[in-house]
Amino acid sequence: MRIIFWLVLLAIIGGLAWIRLAPSDPAVWHVDPQVTADQDLASGVRRRLPGSETTLRALHGIILQTPRTEVVAGDPSEGRVTYVTRSLWMGFPDYTTIQLEDGSVEIYARLRFGQSDQGVNRARVLGWMNALNAQD
């Protein structure tokens, strides 16, 4: 019985380590957001707002101020950037891609692990959009 306890504990610790340390493959996450309309999804959110390269750069600056957020791939000068934002305690990664497309800035934020993000990505993206509007 004691061995089972330690095996289960080891499996839990290994799973948590994988969540925190799993690599972020740009080939998987740095993709076209394909935002055709605003959508609230169980696993994330899609938003589209009017904008230019200036808007994309401003949003990039706002996103980089978000705690535990870093660039996975891209740059505003390329027209697309993907970020990973990790939760405070468990380090769960959420990926957000922003892209300039036909006079609009597309935003696609989604989780990596699980079935539902409990609205975390929606709240984060709306916060970014509010900060962007406050700059105008």
mmCIF file of all heavy atoms in Angstrom, residues 86-124:
data_model
loop_
_atom_site.group_PDB
_atom_site.id
_atom_site.type_symbol
_atom_site.label_atom_id
_atom_site.label_comp_id
_atom_site.label_asym_id
_atom_site.label_seq_id
_atom_site.Cartn_x
_atom_site.Cartn_y
_atom_site.Cartn_z
ATOM 1 N N ARG A 86 1.654 32.098 -18.153
ATOM 2 C CA ARG A 86 1.515 30.975 -17.215
ATOM 3 C C ARG A 86 0.779 31.405 -15.960
ATOM 4 O O ARG A 86 0.977 32.516 -15.469
ATOM 5 C CB ARG A 86 2.879 30.415 -16.852
ATOM 6 C CG ARG A 86 3.543 29.753 -18.055
ATOM 7 C CD ARG A 86 4.781 28.973 -17.662
ATOM 8 N NE ARG A 86 5.313 28.282 -18.806
ATOM 9 C CZ ARG A 86 4.937 27.069 -19.205
ATOM 10 N NH1 ARG A 86 4.028 26.423 -18.543
ATOM 11 N NH2 ARG A 86 5.485 26.513 -20.271
ATOM 12 N N SER A 87 -0.060 30.502 -15.443
ATOM 13 C CA SER A 87 -0.771 30.790 -14.201
ATOM 14 C C SER A 87 0.219 30.860 -13.042
ATOM 15 O O SER A 87 1.308 30.287 -13.097
ATOM 16 C CB SER A 87 -1.838 29.720 -13.929
ATOM 17 O OG SER A 87 -1.237 28.463 -13.711
ATOM 18 N N LEU A 88 -0.166 31.571 -12.011
ATOM 19 C CA LEU A 88 0.738 31.856 -10.905
ATOM 20 C C LEU A 88 1.181 30.597 -10.163
ATOM 21 O O LEU A 88 2.367 30.359 -10.001
ATOM 22 C CB LEU A 88 0.074 32.835 -9.925
ATOM 23 C CG LEU A 88 0.889 33.216 -8.689
ATOM 24 C CD1 LEU A 88 2.185 33.892 -9.082
ATOM 25 C CD2 LEU A 88 0.054 34.131 -7.796
ATOM 26 N N TRP A 89 0.273 29.797 -9.717
ATOM 27 C CA TRP A 89 0.641 28.678 -8.834
ATOM 28 C C TRP A 89 1.072 27.430 -9.581
ATOM 29 O O TRP A 89 2.082 26.832 -9.265
ATOM 30 C CB TRP A 89 -0.515 28.351 -7.888
ATOM 31 C CG TRP A 89 -0.801 29.498 -6.982
ATOM 32 C CD1 TRP A 89 -1.872 30.354 -7.048
ATOM 33 C CD2 TRP A 89 0.021 29.979 -5.917
ATOM 34 N NE1 TRP A 89 -1.777 31.310 -6.084
ATOM 35 C CE2 TRP A 89 -0.621 31.108 -5.365
ATOM 36 C CE3 TRP A 89 1.232 29.571 -5.372
ATOM 37 C CZ2 TRP A 89 -0.098 31.814 -4.300
ATOM 38 C CZ3 TRP A 89 1.740 30.282 -4.305
ATOM 39 C CH2 TRP A 89 1.086 31.385 -3.788
ATOM 40 N N MET A 90 0.319 27.012 -10.539
ATOM 41 C CA MET A 90 0.600 25.735 -11.200
ATOM 42 C C MET A 90 1.413 25.885 -12.481
ATOM 43 O O MET A 90 1.949 24.919 -12.985
ATOM 44 C CB MET A 90 -0.710 25.001 -11.519
ATOM 45 C CG MET A 90 -1.565 24.743 -10.302
ATOM 46 S SD MET A 90 -0.726 23.762 -9.048
ATOM 47 C CE MET A 90 -0.721 22.199 -9.842
ATOM 48 N N GLY A 91 1.477 27.081 -13.014
ATOM 49 C CA GLY A 91 2.235 27.305 -14.239
ATOM 50 C C GLY A 91 1.540 26.821 -15.497
ATOM 51 O O GLY A 91 2.195 26.574 -16.510
ATOM 52 N N PHE A 92 0.204 26.691 -15.450
ATOM 53 C CA PHE A 92 -0.525 26.267 -16.643
ATOM 54 C C PHE A 92 -0.307 27.289 -17.765
ATOM 55 O O PHE A 92 -0.503 28.475 -17.558
ATOM 56 C CB PHE A 92 -2.028 26.154 -16.362
ATOM 57 C CG PHE A 92 -2.405 24.913 -15.627
ATOM 58 C CD1 PHE A 92 -2.619 24.938 -14.259
ATOM 59 C CD2 PHE A 92 -2.559 23.718 -16.305
ATOM 60 C CE1 PHE A 92 -2.973 23.793 -13.581
ATOM 61 C CE2 PHE A 92 -2.916 22.560 -15.634
ATOM 62 C CZ PHE A 92 -3.120 22.598 -14.266
ATOM 63 N N PRO A 93 0.071 26.841 -18.961
ATOM 64 C CA PRO A 93 0.309 27.773 -20.063
ATOM 65 C C PRO A 93 -0.963 28.072 -20.860
ATOM 66 O O PRO A 93 -1.747 27.179 -21.155
ATOM 67 C CB PRO A 93 1.319 27.016 -20.936
ATOM 68 C CG PRO A 93 1.004 25.580 -20.699
ATOM 69 C CD PRO A 93 0.518 25.482 -19.273
ATOM 70 N N ASP A 94 -1.153 29.330 -21.165
ATOM 71 C CA ASP A 94 -2.172 29.771 -22.111
ATOM 72 C C ASP A 94 -1.432 30.476 -23.239
ATOM 73 O O ASP A 94 -0.504 31.249 -22.990
ATOM 74 C CB ASP A 94 -3.147 30.761 -21.464
ATOM 75 C CG ASP A 94 -4.079 30.111 -20.463
ATOM 76 O OD1 ASP A 94 -4.419 28.930 -20.634
ATOM 77 O OD2 ASP A 94 -4.475 30.800 -19.504
ATOM 78 N N TYR A 95 -1.837 30.226 -24.463
ATOM 79 C CA TYR A 95 -1.177 30.808 -25.632
ATOM 80 C C TYR A 95 -2.090 31.847 -26.267
ATOM 81 O O TYR A 95 -3.294 31.616 -26.415
ATOM 82 C CB TYR A 95 -0.821 29.723 -26.647
ATOM 83 C CG TYR A 95 0.235 28.799 -26.120
ATOM 84 C CD1 TYR A 95 -0.104 27.657 -25.402
ATOM 85 C CD2 TYR A 95 1.577 29.090 -26.293
ATOM 86 C CE1 TYR A 95 0.866 26.828 -24.878
ATOM 87 C CE2 TYR A 95 2.557 28.262 -25.773
ATOM 88 C CZ TYR A 95 2.196 27.135 -25.064
ATOM 89 O OH TYR A 95 3.164 26.318 -24.537
ATOM 90 N N THR A 96 -1.506 32.968 -26.643
ATOM 91 C CA THR A 96 -2.245 34.023 -27.327
ATOM 92 C C THR A 96 -1.475 34.414 -28.578
ATOM 93 O O THR A 96 -0.276 34.670 -28.514
ATOM 94 C CB THR A 96 -2.403 35.267 -26.429
ATOM 95 O OG1 THR A 96 -3.045 34.888 -25.213
ATOM 96 C CG2 THR A 96 -3.208 36.348 -27.129
ATOM 97 N N THR A 97 -2.176 34.450 -29.687
ATOM 98 C CA THR A 97 -1.595 34.916 -30.944
ATOM 99 C C THR A 97 -2.345 36.165 -31.373
ATOM 100 O O THR A 97 -3.578 36.189 -31.354
ATOM 101 C CB THR A 97 -1.709 33.831 -32.031
ATOM 102 O OG1 THR A 97 -1.040 32.656 -31.589
ATOM 103 C CG2 THR A 97 -1.092 34.309 -33.338
ATOM 104 N N ILE A 98 -1.567 37.203 -31.721
ATOM 105 C CA ILE A 98 -2.164 38.410 -32.292
ATOM 106 C C ILE A 98 -1.605 38.558 -33.704
ATOM 107 O O ILE A 98 -0.460 38.208 -33.965
ATOM 108 C CB ILE A 98 -1.894 39.673 -31.440
ATOM 109 C CG1 ILE A 98 -0.399 39.995 -31.346
ATOM 110 C CG2 ILE A 98 -2.509 39.519 -30.061
ATOM 111 C CD1 ILE A 98 -0.102 41.347 -30.700
ATOM 112 N N GLN A 99 -2.457 39.051 -34.593
ATOM 113 C CA GLN A 99 -2.044 39.151 -35.988
ATOM 114 C C GLN A 99 -2.751 40.316 -36.655
ATOM 115 O O GLN A 99 -3.935 40.550 -36.407
ATOM 116 C CB GLN A 99 -2.408 37.855 -36.709
ATOM 117 C CG GLN A 99 -2.167 37.864 -38.200
ATOM 118 C CD GLN A 99 -2.460 36.522 -38.804
ATOM 119 O OE1 GLN A 99 -1.696 35.584 -38.607
ATOM 120 N NE2 GLN A 99 -3.561 36.400 -39.532
ATOM 121 N N LEU A 100 -2.020 41.016 -37.494
ATOM 122 C CA LEU A 100 -2.609 42.076 -38.307
ATOM 123 C C LEU A 100 -3.075 41.458 -39.612
ATOM 124 O O LEU A 100 -2.289 40.814 -40.325
ATOM 125 C CB LEU A 100 -1.567 43.172 -38.563
ATOM 126 C CG LEU A 100 -2.051 44.406 -39.299
ATOM 127 C CD1 LEU A 100 -3.166 45.101 -38.527
ATOM 128 C CD2 LEU A 100 -0.890 45.361 -39.538
ATOM 129 N N GLU A 101 -4.363 41.634 -39.909
ATOM 130 C CA GLU A 101 -4.936 41.015 -41.106
ATOM 131 C C GLU A 101 -6.010 41.929 -41.687
ATOM 132 O O GLU A 101 -7.035 42.163 -41.040
ATOM 133 C CB GLU A 101 -5.545 39.653 -40.739
ATOM 134 C CG GLU A 101 -6.055 38.851 -41.898
ATOM 135 C CD GLU A 101 -4.957 38.294 -42.782
ATOM 136 O OE1 GLU A 101 -3.853 38.029 -42.284
ATOM 137 O OE2 GLU A 101 -5.212 38.119 -43.978
ATOM 138 N N ASP A 102 -5.774 42.451 -42.872
ATOM 139 C CA ASP A 102 -6.771 43.260 -43.600
ATOM 140 C C ASP A 102 -7.359 44.388 -42.758
ATOM 141 O O ASP A 102 -8.581 44.526 -42.666
ATOM 142 C CB ASP A 102 -7.897 42.364 -44.121
ATOM 143 C CG ASP A 102 -7.408 41.336 -45.130
ATOM 144 O OD1 ASP A 102 -6.441 41.643 -45.860
ATOM 145 O OD2 ASP A 102 -7.991 40.237 -45.186
ATOM 146 N N GLY A 103 -6.516 45.188 -42.122
ATOM 147 C CA GLY A 103 -6.991 46.329 -41.347
ATOM 148 C C GLY A 103 -7.608 45.984 -40.009
ATOM 149 O O GLY A 103 -8.280 46.810 -39.404
ATOM 150 N N SER A 104 -7.394 44.752 -39.558
ATOM 151 C CA SER A 104 -7.902 44.320 -38.255
ATOM 152 C C SER A 104 -6.794 43.624 -37.479
ATOM 153 O O SER A 104 -5.905 43.002 -38.070
ATOM 154 C CB SER A 104 -9.060 43.333 -38.413
ATOM 155 O OG SER A 104 -10.173 43.963 -38.985
ATOM 156 N N VAL A 105 -6.885 43.715 -36.167
ATOM 157 C CA VAL A 105 -5.999 42.949 -35.300
ATOM 158 C C VAL A 105 -6.816 41.765 -34.787
ATOM 159 O O VAL A 105 -7.869 41.944 -34.176
ATOM 160 C CB VAL A 105 -5.463 43.802 -34.129
ATOM 161 C CG1 VAL A 105 -4.654 42.939 -33.177
ATOM 162 C CG2 VAL A 105 -4.621 44.954 -34.657
ATOM 163 N N GLU A 106 -6.326 40.586 -35.091
ATOM 164 C CA GLU A 106 -6.982 39.357 -34.647
ATOM 165 C C GLU A 106 -6.276 38.861 -33.398
ATOM 166 O O GLU A 106 -5.043 38.869 -33.327
ATOM 167 C CB GLU A 106 -6.901 38.288 -35.735
ATOM 168 C CG GLU A 106 -7.604 38.683 -37.017
ATOM 169 C CD GLU A 106 -7.475 37.634 -38.102
ATOM 170 O OE1 GLU A 106 -6.618 36.727 -37.990
ATOM 171 O OE2 GLU A 106 -8.231 37.724 -39.081
ATOM 172 N N ILE A 107 -7.058 38.421 -32.424
ATOM 173 C CA ILE A 107 -6.529 37.902 -31.169
ATOM 174 C C ILE A 107 -7.146 36.528 -30.936
ATOM 175 O O ILE A 107 -8.371 36.379 -30.975
ATOM 176 C CB ILE A 107 -6.891 38.823 -29.976
ATOM 177 C CG1 ILE A 107 -6.452 40.256 -30.247
ATOM 178 C CG2 ILE A 107 -6.295 38.284 -28.682
ATOM 179 C CD1 ILE A 107 -6.997 41.261 -29.255
ATOM 180 N N TYR A 108 -6.286 35.546 -30.697
ATOM 181 C CA TYR A 108 -6.768 34.196 -30.387
ATOM 182 C C TYR A 108 -6.016 33.708 -29.161
ATOM 183 O O TYR A 108 -4.806 33.480 -29.206
ATOM 184 C CB TYR A 108 -6.536 33.263 -31.580
ATOM 185 C CG TYR A 108 -6.979 31.839 -31.367
ATOM 186 C CD1 TYR A 108 -8.073 31.514 -30.570
ATOM 187 C CD2 TYR A 108 -6.304 30.797 -31.985
ATOM 188 C CE1 TYR A 108 -8.477 30.201 -30.403
ATOM 189 C CE2 TYR A 108 -6.696 29.477 -31.831
ATOM 190 C CZ TYR A 108 -7.789 29.183 -31.036
ATOM 191 O OH TYR A 108 -8.181 27.885 -30.863
ATOM 192 N N ALA A 109 -6.732 33.584 -28.045
ATOM 193 C CA ALA A 109 -6.148 33.131 -26.785
ATOM 194 C C ALA A 109 -6.769 31.786 -26.433
ATOM 195 O O ALA A 109 -7.984 31.624 -26.485
ATOM 196 C CB ALA A 109 -6.422 34.144 -25.678
ATOM 197 N N ARG A 110 -5.905 30.816 -26.074
ATOM 198 C CA ARG A 110 -6.410 29.467 -25.790
ATOM 199 C C ARG A 110 -5.514 28.762 -24.785
ATOM 200 O O ARG A 110 -4.356 29.088 -24.604
ATOM 201 C CB ARG A 110 -6.526 28.637 -27.064
ATOM 202 C CG ARG A 110 -5.201 28.326 -27.771
ATOM 203 C CD ARG A 110 -4.915 29.356 -28.793
ATOM 204 N NE ARG A 110 -3.819 28.992 -29.686
ATOM 205 C CZ ARG A 110 -3.025 29.886 -30.224
ATOM 206 N NH1 ARG A 110 -3.124 31.160 -29.932
ATOM 207 N NH2 ARG A 110 -2.086 29.524 -31.068
ATOM 208 N N LEU A 111 -6.124 27.763 -24.158
ATOM 209 C CA LEU A 111 -5.394 26.960 -23.174
ATOM 210 C C LEU A 111 -4.623 25.842 -23.860
ATOM 211 O O LEU A 111 -4.864 25.541 -25.028
ATOM 212 C CB LEU A 111 -6.341 26.386 -22.123
ATOM 213 C CG LEU A 111 -7.519 25.507 -22.574
ATOM 214 C CD1 LEU A 111 -7.102 24.122 -22.982
ATOM 215 C CD2 LEU A 111 -8.532 25.423 -21.463
ATOM 216 N N ARG A 112 -3.694 25.256 -23.126
ATOM 217 C CA ARG A 112 -2.966 24.103 -23.654
ATOM 218 C C ARG A 112 -3.449 22.809 -23.019
ATOM 219 O O ARG A 112 -3.603 21.801 -23.681
ATOM 220 C CB ARG A 112 -1.465 24.261 -23.410
ATOM 221 C CG ARG A 112 -0.685 23.038 -23.881
ATOM 222 C CD ARG A 112 0.779 23.247 -23.859
ATOM 223 N NE ARG A 112 1.481 22.067 -24.335
ATOM 224 C CZ ARG A 112 2.767 22.009 -24.522
ATOM 225 N NH1 ARG A 112 3.517 23.071 -24.286
ATOM 226 N NH2 ARG A 112 3.338 20.915 -24.955
ATOM 227 N N PHE A 113 -3.667 22.831 -21.734
ATOM 228 C CA PHE A 113 -4.076 21.634 -21.005
ATOM 229 C C PHE A 113 -5.487 21.818 -20.464
ATOM 230 O O PHE A 113 -5.830 22.872 -19.952
ATOM 231 C CB PHE A 113 -3.128 21.359 -19.829
ATOM 232 C CG PHE A 113 -1.707 21.103 -20.246
ATOM 233 C CD1 PHE A 113 -0.721 22.052 -20.029
ATOM 234 C CD2 PHE A 113 -1.347 19.909 -20.847
ATOM 235 C CE1 PHE A 113 0.592 21.830 -20.403
ATOM 236 C CE2 PHE A 113 -0.035 19.676 -21.234
ATOM 237 C CZ PHE A 113 0.935 20.631 -21.019
ATOM 238 N N GLY A 114 -6.306 20.784 -20.575
ATOM 239 C CA GLY A 114 -7.642 20.812 -20.005
ATOM 240 C C GLY A 114 -8.717 21.031 -21.054
ATOM 241 O O GLY A 114 -8.453 21.080 -22.252
ATOM 242 N N GLN A 115 -9.944 21.166 -20.570
ATOM 243 C CA GLN A 115 -11.103 21.331 -21.443
ATOM 244 C C GLN A 115 -11.696 22.722 -21.376
ATOM 245 O O GLN A 115 -12.310 23.184 -22.315
ATOM 246 C CB GLN A 115 -12.196 20.319 -21.029
ATOM 247 C CG GLN A 115 -11.757 18.876 -21.138
ATOM 248 C CD GLN A 115 -11.459 18.480 -22.563
ATOM 249 O OE1 GLN A 115 -12.204 18.826 -23.471
ATOM 250 N NE2 GLN A 115 -10.377 17.764 -22.775
ATOM 251 N N SER A 116 -11.526 23.406 -20.240
ATOM 252 C CA SER A 116 -12.110 24.725 -20.060
ATOM 253 C C SER A 116 -11.130 25.621 -19.321
ATOM 254 O O SER A 116 -10.480 25.188 -18.372
ATOM 255 C CB SER A 116 -13.410 24.621 -19.257
ATOM 256 O OG SER A 116 -13.897 25.912 -18.944
ATOM 257 N N ASP A 117 -11.060 26.862 -19.750
ATOM 258 C CA ASP A 117 -10.154 27.807 -19.086
ATOM 259 C C ASP A 117 -10.875 28.646 -18.032
ATOM 260 O O ASP A 117 -10.291 29.558 -17.461
ATOM 261 C CB ASP A 117 -9.444 28.683 -20.108
ATOM 262 C CG ASP A 117 -10.362 29.703 -20.756
ATOM 263 O OD1 ASP A 117 -11.588 29.662 -20.532
ATOM 264 O OD2 ASP A 117 -9.851 30.561 -21.491
ATOM 265 N N GLN A 118 -12.162 28.351 -17.799
ATOM 266 C CA GLN A 118 -12.960 29.054 -16.792
ATOM 267 C C GLN A 118 -13.032 30.560 -17.053
ATOM 268 O O GLN A 118 -13.159 31.345 -16.120
ATOM 269 C CB GLN A 118 -12.408 28.787 -15.383
ATOM 270 C CG GLN A 118 -12.285 27.333 -15.005
ATOM 271 C CD GLN A 118 -13.635 26.640 -14.932
ATOM 272 O OE1 GLN A 118 -14.558 27.162 -14.350
ATOM 273 N NE2 GLN A 118 -13.739 25.477 -15.542
ATOM 274 N N GLY A 119 -12.896 30.977 -18.305
ATOM 275 C CA GLY A 119 -13.005 32.385 -18.663
ATOM 276 C C GLY A 119 -11.749 33.211 -18.444
ATOM 277 O O GLY A 119 -11.763 34.433 -18.607
ATOM 278 N N VAL A 120 -10.648 32.553 -18.095
ATOM 279 C CA VAL A 120 -9.406 33.267 -17.808
ATOM 280 C C VAL A 120 -8.888 33.998 -19.052
ATOM 281 O O VAL A 120 -8.501 35.168 -18.977
ATOM 282 C CB VAL A 120 -8.342 32.294 -17.260
ATOM 283 C CG1 VAL A 120 -6.974 32.953 -17.174
ATOM 284 C CG2 VAL A 120 -8.765 31.765 -15.903
ATOM 285 N N ASN A 121 -8.872 33.327 -20.185
ATOM 286 C CA ASN A 121 -8.374 33.966 -21.405
ATOM 287 C C ASN A 121 -9.269 35.120 -21.830
ATOM 288 O O ASN A 121 -8.781 36.166 -22.259
ATOM 289 C CB ASN A 121 -8.232 32.943 -22.530
ATOM 290 C CG ASN A 121 -6.989 32.111 -22.372
ATOM 291 O OD1 ASN A 121 -5.888 32.639 -22.394
ATOM 292 N ND2 ASN A 121 -7.162 30.814 -22.196
ATOM 293 N N ARG A 122 -10.572 34.954 -21.702
ATOM 294 C CA ARG A 122 -11.501 36.031 -22.045
ATOM 295 C C ARG A 122 -11.229 37.263 -21.184
ATOM 296 O O ARG A 122 -11.128 38.378 -21.698
ATOM 297 C CB ARG A 122 -12.941 35.564 -21.863
ATOM 298 C CG ARG A 122 -13.963 36.620 -22.224
ATOM 299 C CD ARG A 122 -15.403 36.086 -22.019
ATOM 300 N NE ARG A 122 -16.385 37.024 -22.490
ATOM 301 C CZ ARG A 122 -16.837 38.057 -21.782
ATOM 302 N NH1 ARG A 122 -16.382 38.282 -20.566
ATOM 303 N NH2 ARG A 122 -17.742 38.865 -22.294
ATOM 304 N N ALA A 123 -11.105 37.058 -19.895
ATOM 305 C CA ALA A 123 -10.850 38.181 -18.985
ATOM 306 C C ALA A 123 -9.520 38.866 -19.315
ATOM 307 O O ALA A 123 -9.427 40.096 -19.309
ATOM 308 C CB ALA A 123 -10.862 37.687 -17.539
ATOM 309 N N ARG A 124 -8.498 38.074 -19.606
ATOM 310 C CA ARG A 124 -7.184 38.634 -19.929
ATOM 311 C C ARG A 124 -7.255 39.463 -21.216
ATOM 312 O O ARG A 124 -6.768 40.599 -21.270
ATOM 313 C CB ARG A 124 -6.152 37.518 -20.073
ATOM 314 C CG ARG A 124 -4.739 38.027 -20.273
ATOM 315 C CD ARG A 124 -3.728 36.906 -20.450
ATOM 316 N NE ARG A 124 -3.737 35.965 -19.345
ATOM 317 C CZ ARG A 124 -4.010 34.666 -19.467
ATOM 318 N NH1 ARG A 124 -4.274 34.135 -20.643
ATOM 319 N NH2 ARG A 124 -3.981 33.885 -18.404
#
